[in-house]
Amino acid sequence: MKRIAEGEVQKAAERFIDYMRLERGCSENTAKAYISDLKIWFAYCKENGRDPLDINADAVSRFLILMQTEGRKKSTVQRAGAMLRSFAGFLQYDGVTENMPHLAPLPSRTKTLPQIMTEGEIQRIINACEDGTPLGKRDRAVIELAYGAGMRATEICSVRLRDLDATNGIIYTRGKGGKERTIPYVGTLRRNIEEYIHTYRPMLDKHGEEWLFLSKSGKALSRETLWVLLHKRGLAAGVPASRLHPHVLRHTFATHLLRGGMDQRTLQMILGHSSIMTTEKYTHMDTELRDSYDKYHPRAKYKH
């Protein structure tokens, strides 16, 4: 078995936790729990001479059984299984491994509705960016791109100026697994990005950078800075902190398009999903949200 340097393992773990915090929007408590679970997994692999980045069904099964025999709570074992599933998916996403392993399904848990913003909340966040500064214009362009094009945080931070075809209103990007795809950006989104590029970005570009979005220091925008700016503008707009994550903007984009009548296949192409089943979750999400509205809203029965 190929030996992986301990430093490489630690760096992969750190990138995974950053990914879960900044792109998947997990809470700080969940992040801390995942760090604890990772340490247990790494110790198990070291003791058994395994590569901790080689996550397969047999190894995960043995690991979880060991946790059970040690008397750990069922919820703790289930969380560790969920962490390893997410870690395996991240390693593929990050290019460390080539294929996602086929892991046994976890026991079902109580479903909770995903976080989605309203159109009014989106507009309030955008309005909160209008402070007349280059950073405010950058923040507005970032948020409008996340919501108006459904791009992931990593994709937004990786856009270069040459990736934009302003004539046709197209952005060329690489999604999960390095897959290339084109994303349309039109209307108000396009106008605001062009305004940012031509009027405000030059005020931030201190080093002749190629990236579309720049930090205050003139370097490429990081995922952490993207999360911070969304959090700052969202709180100023009165939006709950639990919804202030880049992936919530992407979920909102998809849900709003489905409500507007877009078919699933077109949405699948825009989001860059390799499987239609991944896209279908937004249909289920929208149905559940509507069912909850019908059940709890006092005027729902009068809507027809």
Side-chain angles (χ1 to χ4, degrees), residues 4 7-24 35 38 42 53 86-87 90-97 154 223:
I4 304 296
E8 293 180 33
V9 173
Q10 185 60 37
K11 288 178 181 178
E14 291 172 357
R15 292 196 304 273
F16 168 62
I17 296 301
D18 282 345
Y19 171 81
M20 294 301 295
R21 279 186 178 127
L22 305 177
E23 291 206 40
R24 304 307 304 168
I35 291 172
L38 274 175
F42 289 164
L53 303 186
S86 296
F87 190 36
F90 169 77
L91 293 175
Q92 182 193 26
Y93 169 68
D94 202 41
V96 177
T97 58
T154 301
R223 291 184 302 186

Side-chain angles (χ1 to χ4, degrees), residues 16 20 30-42 44 52 55-56 59-68 70 72-89 103-107 109:
F16 168 62
M20 294 301 295
T30 299
K32 290 178 179 178
Y34 274 18
I35 291 172
S36 175
D37 293 339
L38 274 175
K39 289 180 179 178
I40 298 172
W41 167 250
F42 289 164
Y44 167 81
I55 302 173
N56 58 63
V60 171
S61 178
R62 291 175 181 274
F63 173 66
L64 297 181
I65 290 173
L66 177 62
M67 291 186 74
Q68 289 176 325
E70 290 177 345
R72 297 182 187 272
K73 293 180 180 179
K74 183 177 180 182
S75 59
T76 301
V77 176
Q78 186 178 52
R79 186 192 66 208
M83 180 279 295
L84 287 175
R85 184 180 296 275
S86 296
F87 190 36
L103 303 180
L106 295 170
R109 301 178 66 180

